[in-house]
Amino acid sequence: MAQPIIDHVARVGASYGLKVREPGCNPNVVIIFTDEAPNLAKALVAAEPEAFRVRWTRQLDRGSIALSRFQEMDAPVRWWHVSIPVLGWNGKAAIALPGRGGAPLVPGEGRVNRGRPVSDQFNKVIIIVDVNRVEGIMLPQLADYLALVTLAQIDPESDMQRYDTVLNVFNNPGAVAGLSEWDRAYLAALYEAHPERIDRADQATGVTNRLRREEQRLAATAPD
């Protein structure tokens, strides 16, 4: 079952401009299926805490409270994302990383990034699927769900009932076929938004405006 899910997540990502490397690469997305999800989450965090929290900054993950919820929550699927700012011109880290030397050297500018576009990219995504909690969900539905929570850092405690989204598949599997038009519009807005690091409110506004334009387009083309 692993390969169809891997292929599907890769296809969805590629459709929004993400570069998917060939087999044998060093993966930064890991999806684990287990019948011991809470215990596995706790064991992973205990064994590799630096994989989940970048302790010298609070800007690259959702924080210690969210990490506690990741370990303790009772959910069919749980996820954790860590991002990193990168230089737009070469894709390399724009900050100093432990064990990897000092700050990046920009030719002609020294160890500064002034005037260089810097964007946040996912450094790693860790997803744990509780096989005991996904019974009754069709594989295409689950693959679409996993694709969405891989490509977007979604608050797992958000109430999505009022939206037409695959995130509701566990609440009402019969009413959710897979990625909805809303899901696809959201991902398109997210990845088409200005890539440089900007104020969070400005970024949210940019994504929201793109979503509204897409909703208007869909409404205008819908059959009477």
Side-chain angles (χ1 to χ4, degrees):
M1 292 176 59
Q3 196 60 54
I5 292 176
I6 292 171
D7 291 343
H8 183 72
V9 173
R11 282 195 299 271
V12 174
S15 69
Y16 297 102
L18 275 69
K19 295 180 180 179
V20 181
R21 297 191 181 277
E22 298 296 325
C25 66
N26 184 21
N28 62 346
V29 176
V30 179
I31 303 175
I32 307 169
F33 285 73
T34 177
D35 58 1
E36 292 284 349
N39 291 338
L40 177 61
K42 294 174 183 177
L44 287 174
V45 174
E48 297 288 346
E50 299 299 328
F52 293 85
R53 289 302 319 279
V54 183
R55 299 189 182 280
W56 40 269
T57 178
R58 292 179 292 179
Q59 301 180 9
L60 305 184
D61 57 63
R62 295 183 57 237
S64 58
I65 295 176
L67 184 58
S68 295
R69 291 288 299 137
F70 168 79
Q71 299 173 76
E72 298 167 1
M73 67 191 307
D74 180 25
V77 181
R78 67 191 72 203
W79 53 86
W80 188 257
H81 298 70
V82 177
S83 63
I84 186 172
V86 301
L87 295 169
W89 67 295
N90 63 5
K92 294 184 177 181
I95 57 175
L97 297 174
R100 300 187 185 180
L105 176 64
V106 178
E109 298 181 13
R111 297 184 183 279
V112 296
N113 297 324
R114 296 190 185 93
R116 296 287 185 178
V118 177
S119 62
D120 284 327
Q121 295 184 7
F122 286 143
N123 177 253
K124 64 175 68 73
V125 180
I126 300 170
I127 300 174
I128 299 177
V129 181
D130 188 338
V131 296
N132 296 320
R133 302 288 304 280
V134 298
E135 293 183 6
I137 305 299
M138 302 297 292
L139 185 60
Q141 293 174 305
L142 181 59
D144 273 348
Y145 185 102
L146 294 175
L148 182 57
V149 299
T150 294
L151 300 175
Q153 189 178 23
I154 295 170
D155 184 348
E157 298 182 271
S158 295
D159 182 4
M160 305 300 294
Q161 294 296 314
R162 61 196 178 104
Y163 297 102
D164 176 22
T165 170
V166 72
L167 295 174
N168 293 321
V169 69
F170 294 108
N171 298 322
N172 191 0
V176 178
L179 286 173
S180 66
E181 292 289 350
W182 189 93
D183 292 324
R184 297 182 187 280
Y186 173 75
L187 287 174
L190 183 65
Y191 282 94
E192 289 173 3
H194 203 284
E196 294 184 19
R197 303 187 93 196
I198 56 176
D199 181 83
R200 291 183 179 182
D202 290 341
Q203 186 183 40
T205 299
V207 172
T208 301
N209 289 339
R210 284 170 172 79
L211 266 173
R212 287 174 176 166
R213 288 197 295 269
E214 180 63 14
E215 287 178 343
Q216 293 170 355
R217 185 190 68 80
L218 292 173
T221 58
D224 294 332

